[in-house]
Amino acid sequence: MHPPDGVTARVCFLLCLSVFGCGATETPPSDASADAGRSEDGATDAPRFDAPVDRPDAAPDAPSVDLAPPRPLAPPSGVAELAARPLLRWALPSGAVGAHVELCADRACSRVLHSFDATGSSGSPSERLRPGPVFWRLYSRGPAGRGTVPSVTWSFTAGRRDVARSIGGTGALDVNNDGYADLAVGAPGNEGSPRGRVHVYFGGASGLATTPSLTLQPPAEVVGNYGVAVCEAGDLDGDGYNELAVAATVTPVESGPSGRVYVYAGGASGLGVVPRTTLIVRDIAALHALSNRIRLARGGDVNGDGYGDLVVGLAVTAPFQGAVDVFLGSAAGLTPGPIVIPNFMPMSGFGTSVAAGGDLNGDGFDDVVVGADSEGAVRVFLGGAAGTAVTPAATLTVDAAGTGFQSPTVAGAGDVNGDGYADVAIASVAGGGRVYLYPGGAAGLGRVPVVLSAPVPGGSFTFPAGAGDVDGDGFSDLVVASLASSPATALYLFRGGAAGLATTPVSTLPTPDPAAVTFGERAAGFGDFDGDGYADVAASARTVQEYTGRAFVFRGGAAGLGASPAATLPGPDGPGGLFGTGLASGL
């Protein structure tokens, strides 16, 4: 037999490529190349999928069929994962037996970085992804072939730990789903508009914009405190875009509630300027000035349905005992009737501090942590298929040494030791302030914390915030602010690791402005504002320049946080604006 001529060979090659994908296969990496750039703890700096690929295990099913697409469930859109091969979960429609998964470099999926087929409702990529933003979508697979309609596109930030499971994914604000974290800053008291405003800054390849990308004006009913609390609410309706929640005060009608929470929907162009949802919260009408004690927290997904949820802390409710409302997300957004977690002691300040605890016990449902400042107690409420439980699974009133908590505040810490369980930070003002890091585990929150004390005495070391993975080692980190007269005012970064949280800070960030004694009182956790795979940190100082306020952005990197701000955001509203009172980016 004679070999085919050049023309015939080319036709055969193109036919093989189009039908079987035979020309697009890759040679599997050798053990040496697969381990290149990987550290002993499993972290890696070496991107694996910088160019589009079509994996041989993801060859198209034949023929295509009419099947509805799966619905993404986890990781939630906008989440920063610590794993380089996170476990993806979805809900299958009728007639589907599995999914075809595409992981892309852009939201339109014009560049597919990796794809794979999975039977059932979950799966992980076979090799580690590049650190940084990744977009993903799904097609159904049935006995007769693959569906032709893709799901909505979600995004996550891929981490560096080379494991095929999710590790402590934490949320970041990305209202336009472009893969870059955004920042929202509340200015509730400016003189030009005494009712307040919220300024939103979009992230990008060069980092955050230094002037507002958009400004949210208060609805007409608002009389003040608009922006006193702002919150990255997660993707409440499952469309792939994050929402933003803003607290405010209105004039009560017939002694009704005066607190409001406005929810703004994300979209391709950013946030809508008109609230999609208005929540009427149950504070005391006669004391409507105290609506500035409303607290907001991203609830994660407390019932595991793939929709984000919102936690509202109400420390001032009749008869002065406080409550916490958990609003569940759905395809239509937040459902109007919340799960009400009641307090158990009048005048306790229950709800003065609320946090998205993450999944503390690894059961697949996110949990809620609530502080009561007057009582000196912290309670943990577990998530479940029906939503958040109203009976606490744990109540903490003393630290490991038996010292009672004083005015405790709570913060989600991510997963500082990479064990797959979320951890929680609790701050107490006793003794000048200490921060206690309680690890999660299969039985829930552990009772033996890591204790952090102020590296420089004289400050109020009581303002923790989860920082995400600042140094790219695959473990969540924690920032803590210490407030006092300079030089004690500083922001400290404590590094996570396989052995847990370090007790000595790896980075010390002195206040950029000696007059900014409130520097770090509001720290927006983390967000990868520039898409380089390292979490960045924003912190504000709301009292500088006659209460104009400022926010500062510090870039993450292999060595930790830069000592000087990569960007300074001046308060746009002038003296009295209190720019930075509310801060939202992640966690």
Side-chain angles (χ1 to χ4, degrees):
M1 181 183 293
H2 294 288
D5 58 23
V7 173
T8 305
R10 177 174 178 79
V11 171
C12 291
F13 172 78
L14 292 175
L15 181 61
C16 173
L17 176 63
S18 63
V19 175
F20 300 106
C22 58
T25 60
E26 287 185 344
T27 301
S30 66
D31 291 341
S33 64
D35 289 336
R38 190 185 305 172
S39 66
E40 293 180 357
D41 62 7
T44 177
D45 289 321
R48 300 303 301 172
F49 293 110
D50 282 330
V53 297
D54 188 8
R55 306 296 297 171
D57 61 348
D61 298 300
S64 296
V65 294
D66 185 17
L67 277 176
R71 183 168 67 86
L73 293 180
S77 196
V79 155
E81 272 287 342
L82 297 176
R85 296 185 290 134
L87 179 69
L88 310 178
R89 296 191 298 110
W90 51 83
L92 291 173
S94 177
V97 297
H100 174 72
V101 184
E102 290 184 343
L103 298 135
C104 308
D106 60 339
R107 185 161 54 87
C109 274
S110 61
R111 289 185 61 226
V112 178
L113 301 173
H114 182 49
S115 60
F116 65 91
D117 289 340
T119 300
S121 56
S122 65
S124 296
S126 58
E127 297 183 45
R128 61 187 183 268
L129 301 170
R130 63 177 190 177
V134 176
F135 300 82
W136 63 293
R137 66 183 184 182
L138 305 158
Y139 293 85
S140 285
R141 294 176 60 241
R146 184 202 298 173
T148 59
V149 180
S151 69
V152 296
T153 300
W154 283 16
S155 65
F156 62 88
T157 298
R160 286 177 165 81
R161 288 185 60 79
D162 190 14
V163 293
R165 59 185 174 90
S166 293
I167 312 176
T170 46
L173 182 66
D174 183 6
V175 297
N176 54 2
N177 195 17
D178 63 355
Y180 299 101
D182 307 317
L183 178 69
V185 185
N190 69 79
E191 294 178 354
S193 174
R195 299 184 301 148
R197 298 199 293 180
V198 173
H199 305 281
V200 181
Y201 300 78
F202 292 163
S206 300
L208 282 180
T210 55
T211 56
S213 304
L214 64 90
T215 296
L216 300 177
Q217 305 287 348
E221 64 178 348
V222 171
V223 297
N225 291 325
Y226 180 81
V228 70
V230 293
C231 171
E232 184 274 313
D235 183 5
L236 301 176
D237 55 7
D239 65 353
Y241 300 96
N242 290 165
E243 275 70 63
L244 181 73
V246 180
T249 300
V250 303
T251 301
V253 178
E254 296 182 358
S255 299
S258 62
R260 296 290 186 273
V261 176
Y262 300 99
V263 179
Y264 296 84
S269 59
L271 289 171
V273 296
V274 176
R276 174 178 180 175
T277 305
T278 298
L279 305 177
I280 300 174
V281 296
R282 298 166 295 106
D283 58 347
I284 298 175
L287 299 176
H288 66 270
L290 293 181
S291 293
N292 61 12
R293 297 193 72 189
I294 294 173
R295 297 294 180 257
L296 304 175
R298 180 185 192 273
D301 186 1
V302 300
N303 59 352
D305 64 354
Y307 300 104
D309 307 311
L310 180 66
V311 181
V312 182
L314 305 165
V316 184
T317 61
F320 290 92
Q321 70 178 40
V324 171
D325 289 350
V326 181
F327 292 87
L328 301 179
S330 71
L334 288 180
T335 54
I339 297 170
V340 178
I341 303 175
N343 192 9
F344 308 98
M345 179 185 296
M347 304 294 292
S348 69
F350 182 74
T352 49
S353 179
V354 292
D359 188 0
L360 300 174
N361 59 357
D363 64 353
F365 303 101
D366 287 331
D367 309 312
V368 174
V369 184
V370 182
D373 61 353
S374 299
E375 181 188 2
V378 172
R379 290 181 173 87
V380 177
F381 299 87
L382 297 180
T388 305
V390 298
T391 301
T395 300
L396 305 175
T397 57
V398 296
D399 61 27
T403 302
F405 290 135
Q406 294 183 20
S407 300
T409 57
V410 296
D415 184 3
V416 301
N417 59 359
D419 63 355
Y421 301 101
D423 308 313
V424 171
I426 300 175
S428 171
V429 301
R434 291 186 181 88
V435 173
Y436 304 89
L437 192 285
Y438 286 85
L445 208 60
R447 296 305 178 96
V448 181
V450 175
V451 183
L452 307 178
S453 299
V456 178
S460 178
F461 187 73
T462 54
F463 299 92
D469 186 7
V470 168
D471 53 8
D473 64 353
F475 302 94
S476 295
D477 306 311
L478 186 75
V479 291
V480 183
S482 181
L483 274 60
S485 58
S486 186
T489 297
L491 195 66
Y492 299 97
L493 174 69
F494 295 86
R495 175 177 281 170
L501 192 69
T503 57
T504 301
V506 66
S507 299
T508 298
L509 313 177
T511 175
D513 185 339
V517 295
T518 57
F519 169 67
E521 181 186 15
R522 301 288 187 270
F526 78 102
D528 186 3
F529 299 127
D530 53 12
D532 64 354
Y534 298 97
D536 309 311
V537 169
S540 65
R542 60 194 175 99
T543 61
V544 297
Q545 295 180 326
E546 298 180 348
Y547 296 91
T548 295
R550 282 181 178 177
F552 307 94
V553 180
F554 298 86
R555 291 192 61 185
L561 291 172
S564 300
T568 298
L569 312 180
D573 301 311
L578 291 174
F579 177 79
T581 298
L583 209 60
S585 177
L587 224 52

